[in-house]
Amino acid sequence: MAVLRNKPILQGLGSAVASALAVLVLTAGSAAAADAALEQARADWQAGRLIPAATALKGLLQRDPSAGEARALLAQVYLDGNDPVAAEQEADRALRQGVARLALLEVRGRALVAEGKFDRVIAELIPDADQPAELRAEVLALRGDAYLGRDEPQAADEAYTQALEASPTNSRALIGQARRATARGDLAAARQLLTSAATAGSDPGAAWLALGFLEYRQHRYAEAQAAYTRAAESSAGRWQAYLRRAEARLDGGDPQGARADVAAARELFPASAELDYLEGLIAFQAGDYPKAKDLLEAYVHRQPTQGRALYCLGAISYQLGEYQRAEEYLDAYLKSDPQALMAVKVLAAARLARGSNQAAADLLAPWVGPEQQDREVLELQARALIGLDQQAAALEQLRIAARLAGTDVPTAMRLAALMIQAQGPAAAQETLRQTLAAAPDRLEVRLQLIDAYLTDGQAAAALREAQEAVTQAPRDPRAAAAQGLAHLAAKQPEAAQAAFRKALELQPGFPGAALNLGRLIAAGGDPAGARRLYEQALVAEPGNTQALLLLAQLDADAGATAAALERLRAGLAAAPANAALRAALARLLILTKDPGAALHLLQEAPPGGNADPNLLLVRGQAELASGQAYTAVETLQDLVAAQPQSAAAHLLLAQAALAAKDTSTMVEHAARGLELEPGRPQALATALLVLAAVSDPTTKATLVARLQAVAPDNVELAVAAAQTLGVGGDPEAERRRLVDLHRDLPTNQAAYRALVLAEEKVGNLPEATRIIREWLVAHPDEVESMMMLAQLYRQASRPDEERQAYVEVLARQPQHRAALNNLAWLLRQSDPATALRYAEQALALDPQDAAATDTLGVLLLAKGERARALELLGKASAALPDDASIAFHYASAQAAAGDRGAARGTLRPLLQRSFPEQNEAWALFQSLAP
């Protein structure tokens, strides 16, 4: 017999009874009226109107609790209303009130079976030879159901056989035997048994329901509908027949009929939980996902293990972009039905959407093999493999899927796009050529082939196919726009413009032409003309993302940042789910120094939106800009999981890890970023930054070796490899390696500077000086080398040469702040007037420069301008509180100003430190003693 899947629908009937009692025409103490009310309740029950029946019966019992027949009928009503607990309770009360026990055995037994109390059925329902044949058969059949519930099929078979011996037309026994036949796979026998029970059995309604359920499970929806129709005609529980027929009609492609059945069932039982379930299914099939979600979630709240509802909620959540929720529902569903392939596919798609490529691949693995070749599974598995950096395996899966797709053009195009992801545009070209040969009239295939050629750098092939496209569809703007792109690739800008203009003649504002032509015109110096074209594209296609982004870029380039922000905000307000607009707006906010607003904007993305890789990238940038390095690392790790082949993702993660001082993460992802795109300047720059931050010699050496394996000819890495020797404790080996490198690459600046530093490190100042002077012969105007030379002269205590070096610098760069400041310091005693002029110039260039502030303060103090000197030296000391020399200068100014206590307080922490003016500090401190 079909198992009812909804919870009791007659619970909580008290308020309905209370209101019904107000209008119930029942005169107290009138036996005739009570009998009439009982008969009306019986009629309502037989017609399937269980709520009116229950209302009337409870009213009778409230007036006369001893009305045993009313209570017995109420037990039957509860049972048909799928509330076996209440049915058992009312049956027990009726028995205590003296209602004939035999009349209640069936109701009570059915209630116990429905509650799963199989042991009690076996213990309490005992067949007796003195029982009427029909009752004895029903008792035996109920025992058979209980044995089945206890997984004792042989005992069940024996009980059903005995029941039919007692009464050959007993429907419960026939239905039980049909269930056993179905379990053995003998569907023909099951149908024959159920048909016999339905046409000549004791309970035809139950038999028709069971037959309908059997046909429905075999996807024979027309036959199931016919059986449920007969059940509705013959059963007091016809509401169940309407509900079951609604499901069969829905799956059979008749949503209107399903709605009609749901309405009929609702009229009989408005409180049925299955009404929400079926209306949810109808809304799901109609694509009304929010409504379907609300209805099915309400149902699952009451029936948390209902499989199909869980599956539908998983599919709905996926469609709504709520991928984590989709996983939760589908995981729960697959626990009950692990072989449900459709659920496996949707779950895999949800995992892919969340960047869980390995989890998706593991889920799909049992469904991939020579014996199981489902095209959609292969496509999903290929996407997972691409995400796992297993391009060759992904391409193989896609080729099998393409063979299975045959001449299905949309599928072939989608698979070609995935092939491009897996191994580049060349991998997809053969599939597209074959598809085009099979469907030469499909312009969209030719356009995708043109795009593949363009991406692969095959301008001539793209141009050839574009000409074919224009010949094939001379009035289609897509063909003309594709021809324009092919001309661009072939470096024929005038022909490209002509093709784009032709497309715009065919369809004014056509975005594929207007946007590309606008870019060409903007690059040619006509932003106003580009703006007109972008705006035309927006008129033709309101909300076009690229047009909005290009217009915002024009605004920003013109300095109208506020206008750009407003344009992007308006576009996003009209399309909140547009990840590209949200990312662009967030980037612009970061550029305008408002990363907090960018983060807030990203947090407002619709559910599932922040899983978008583009938004993850921008969120990581915003977190970095906000100083949230550790959070940025977590965000960018999610990005790398979603896009393991993105060099930009790895490099940004390395930068975040650098800020977070996460050595292992920054090393791994800097190296991976360079491995993915060795020619990317940002990759090398990030790798060198990370190298500079690594202090552990072993880690540094390992990283250098890994980077050099990718870029063996890179000089910066060769320098870094030499410097690892110094970090490892062998500066002489470092120097020798750099000598060789400089000899091999005498004009390379990185090798030259590293060698100078290495010579300085080992104390070989004359050689370092010689190398710089030799370099300056070939590069006489290189100011940085002159500054390096001046510093070497200072270390060698050669003030005249140092001063001349600064003079040479200023002859080439009169506003060189460091040279001005250092020369002022150098001349402070020999030429204080000139020194003061230089110091004033240096500070004017950067009033916040602590070194320049200190120099000018010292010079002013020597000149006797104590007040200004005190102010400047106090500012310098506050800016560099750990600089002992500046602190000493400040103490000197305090002492000169007469503040002896303050001077001693400034000097006291310096006394235990080593710095050039240490002895002078001691002397000043002692002179200030009270």
Side-chain angles (χ1 to χ4, degrees), residues 469-637:
V470 170
T471 303
Q472 176 185 347
R475 306 296 301 169
D476 194 314
R478 294 177 299 166
Q483 188 178 42
L485 289 171
H487 280 305
L488 267 183
K491 296 181 171 41
Q492 300 168 0
E494 293 181 0
Q497 286 200 34
F500 291 140
R501 293 187 192 281
K502 177 63 177 178
L504 291 172
E505 288 175 14
L506 294 169
Q507 183 177 320
F510 179 65
L515 300 180
N516 285 302
L517 181 58
R519 288 188 183 98
L520 274 174
I521 289 175
D526 184 8
R531 184 180 295 275
R532 286 193 296 274
L533 286 163
Y534 299 155
E535 288 172 347
Q536 289 172 22
L538 272 181
V539 171
E541 188 180 303
N544 181 282
T545 300
Q546 283 303 310
L548 286 169
L549 292 175
L550 288 167
L551 283 166
Q553 186 64 56
L554 284 179
D555 292 334
D557 291 344
T561 305
L565 289 168
E566 182 57 33
R567 186 185 299 279
L568 292 172
R569 286 192 178 104
L572 190 60
N578 191 313
L581 289 177
R582 192 174 296 274
L585 179 53
R587 283 195 186 93
L588 191 53
L589 288 168
I590 295 170
L591 289 173
T592 56
K593 310 299 184 186
D594 196 353
L599 284 173
H600 181 71
L601 176 74
L602 294 168
Q603 289 162 0
E604 290 179 335
N610 271 319
D612 181 279
N614 200 20
L615 292 182
L616 282 173
L617 177 65
V618 183
R619 194 172 96 201
Q621 292 170 330
E623 287 164 346
L624 263 180
S626 299
Q628 302 176 35
Y630 296 102
T631 306
V633 168
E634 294 176 359
T635 296
L636 294 167
Q637 284 173 334

Side-chain angles (χ1 to χ4, degrees), residues 729-929:
D730 194 347
E732 180 58 31
E734 174 189 355
R735 188 193 69 81
R736 288 195 301 270
R737 180 77 63 85
L738 289 169
V739 167
D740 293 342
L741 186 62
H742 180 56
R743 183 189 62 241
D744 296 338
L745 299 168
T747 62
N748 185 274
Q749 191 177 64
Y752 144 70
R753 289 185 179 176
L755 177 57
V756 170
L757 293 175
E759 296 288 3
E760 183 181 359
K761 189 186 300 183
V762 298
N764 196 351
L765 300 185
E767 180 61 14
T769 302
R770 183 196 68 77
I771 294 168
I772 294 176
R773 295 177 72 84
E774 184 179 90
W775 180 269
L776 284 171
V777 171
H779 308 85
D781 294 324
E782 190 178 283
V783 167
E784 290 185 25
S785 289
M786 293 178 188
M787 291 296 292
M788 290 169 61
L789 185 60
Q791 295 303 313
L792 288 175
Y793 285 140
R794 171 175 290 186
Q795 291 183 59
S797 300
R798 296 165 62 179
D800 292 340
E801 288 93 337
E802 181 185 357
R803 181 178 65 252
Q804 186 58 38
Y806 292 137
V807 170
E808 292 290 337
V809 169
L810 293 173
R812 291 162 177 78
Q813 285 188 18
Q815 302 299 307
H816 196 290
R817 181 167 46 82
L820 286 166
N821 180 70
N822 292 353
L823 185 55
W825 186 259
L826 194 62
L827 296 174
R828 70 187 184 281
Q829 294 177 340
S830 62
D831 189 353
T834 302
L836 189 61
R837 186 174 73 253
Y838 284 145
E840 294 277 14
Q841 291 177 35
L843 189 60
L845 290 170
D846 184 1
Q848 303 306 316
D849 185 327
T853 303
D854 175 63
T855 298
L856 182 58
V858 170
L859 289 168
L860 290 171
L861 183 62
K863 189 181 176 184
E865 296 186 21
R866 296 173 181 174
R868 190 179 174 207
L870 182 64
E871 177 189 351
L872 289 171
L873 291 168
K875 180 180 176 182
S877 183
L880 292 176
D882 294 330
D883 191 306
S885 293
I886 292 178
F888 166 68
H889 299 154
Y890 181 39
S892 300
Q894 290 172 317
D899 194 344
R900 299 167 64 89
R904 283 178 63 85
T906 301
L907 289 167
R908 187 172 288 107
L910 308 179
L911 300 180
Q912 303 303 317
R913 296 177 60 182
S914 175
F915 60 102
E917 299 91 342
Q918 184 179 19
N919 292 335
E920 296 174 61
W922 265 106
L924 178 60
F925 183 76
Q926 291 171 344
S927 71
L928 297 172

Side-chain angles (χ1 to χ4, degrees), residues 32 77 88 95 114 144 148 168 189 224 233 253 342 469 522 532 545 848 854 881 906:
V77 170
E88 181 192 354
L95 284 171
L148 272 187
E233 295 169 353
M342 195 62 230
R532 286 193 296 274
T545 300
Q848 303 306 316
D854 175 63
T906 301

Side-chain angles (χ1 to χ4, degrees), residues 129-187:
D130 294 333
Q131 295 168 342
E134 291 78 5
L135 180 59
R136 185 167 182 273
E138 191 66 23
V139 168
L140 286 164
L142 285 167
R143 289 172 64 85
D145 289 348
Y147 282 126
L148 272 187
R150 296 203 317 187
D151 196 21
E152 298 179 30
Q154 291 182 346
D157 286 341
E158 183 178 346
Y160 291 140
T161 300
Q162 292 174 358
L164 291 173
E165 289 173 354
S167 176
T169 61
N170 183 272
S171 291
R172 183 172 297 278
L174 290 167
I175 292 170
Q177 286 193 334
R179 290 170 64 191
R180 292 287 296 122
T182 302
R184 294 192 300 270
D186 191 349
L187 298 180

Side-chain angles (χ1 to χ4, degrees), residues 73 178 315:
L73 181 56

Side-chain angles (χ1 to χ4, degrees), residues 149-459:
R150 296 203 317 187
D151 196 21
E152 298 179 30
Q154 291 182 346
D157 286 341
E158 183 178 346
Y160 291 140
T161 300
Q162 292 174 358
L164 291 173
E165 289 173 354
S167 176
T169 61
N170 183 272
S171 291
R172 183 172 297 278
L174 290 167
I175 292 170
Q177 286 193 334
R179 290 170 64 191
R180 292 287 296 122
T182 302
R184 294 192 300 270
D186 191 349
L187 298 180
R191 285 193 182 94
Q192 183 176 356
L193 286 162
L194 291 172
T195 301
S196 297
T199 55
S202 57
D203 188 352
W208 285 121
L209 279 173
L211 180 57
F213 186 69
L214 173 68
E215 301 294 10
Y216 176 80
R217 290 294 297 270
Q218 299 305 311
H219 307 295
R220 290 159 53 97
Y221 300 121
E223 290 82 356
Q225 291 174 46
Y228 289 139
T229 298
R230 295 296 298 274
E233 295 169 353
S234 59
S235 173
R238 65 187 58 192
W239 66 278
Q240 299 177 47
Y242 287 138
L243 288 176
R244 301 283 72 76
R245 188 173 68 182
E247 194 167 11
R249 281 180 164 173
L250 185 61
D251 290 345
D254 182 13
Q256 293 300 328
R259 287 191 184 91
D261 278 342
V262 169
R266 190 175 291 282
E267 185 176 340
L268 290 172
F269 275 134
S272 172
E274 288 217 30
L275 291 169
D276 287 343
Y277 166 66
L278 286 167
E279 286 193 350
L281 293 185
I282 292 169
F284 174 63
Q285 284 201 2
D288 188 349
Y289 299 126
K291 178 181 178 182
K293 180 184 177 187
D294 289 344
L295 289 164
L296 291 173
E297 282 185 339
Y299 177 67
V300 166
H301 181 71
R302 288 174 282 181
Q303 290 281 6
T305 61
Q306 211 285 349
R308 188 175 183 185
L310 290 171
Y311 165 72
C312 290
L313 281 168
I316 289 167
S317 298
Y318 175 78
Q319 291 293 338
L320 294 175
E322 299 172 3
Y323 303 122
Q324 182 173 350
R325 195 71 176 133
E327 284 197 58
E328 293 169 0
Y329 283 127
L330 293 166
D331 275 329
Y333 173 59
L334 286 170
K335 287 176 182 176
S336 63
D337 188 1
Q339 299 304 307
L341 180 56
M342 195 62 230
V344 169
K345 293 178 186 178
V346 180
L347 178 55
R351 288 180 175 175
L352 288 172
R354 296 189 67 208
S356 302
N357 297 303
Q358 188 62 61
D362 293 343
L363 175 70
L364 294 166
W367 299 91
V368 177
E371 303 301 321
Q372 299 185 79
Q373 293 194 341
D374 181 284
R375 180 183 54 74
E376 292 178 341
V377 168
L378 291 167
E379 184 177 337
L380 289 165
Q381 183 74 327
R383 288 172 56 194
L385 292 170
I386 290 169
L388 293 170
D389 198 16
Q390 299 178 30
Q391 279 77 7
L395 189 60
E396 181 59 29
Q397 304 282 40
L398 290 169
R399 285 174 176 153
I400 297 171
R403 288 198 295 271
L404 294 173
T407 58
D408 182 352
V409 172
T411 300
M413 293 177 67
R414 189 173 64 253
L415 293 172
L418 283 172
M419 288 177 181
I420 291 172
Q421 279 186 260
Q423 246 179 9
Q429 289 167 18
E430 184 58 32
T431 295
L432 289 169
R433 284 193 289 265
Q434 291 174 359
T435 306
L436 189 59
D441 59 329
R442 299 297 290 268
L443 178 63
E444 62 269 29
V445 180
R446 195 178 300 278
L447 293 175
Q448 190 176 11
L449 180 58
I450 293 169
D451 186 63
Y453 282 141
L454 289 172
T455 307
D456 201 27
Q458 298 186 47

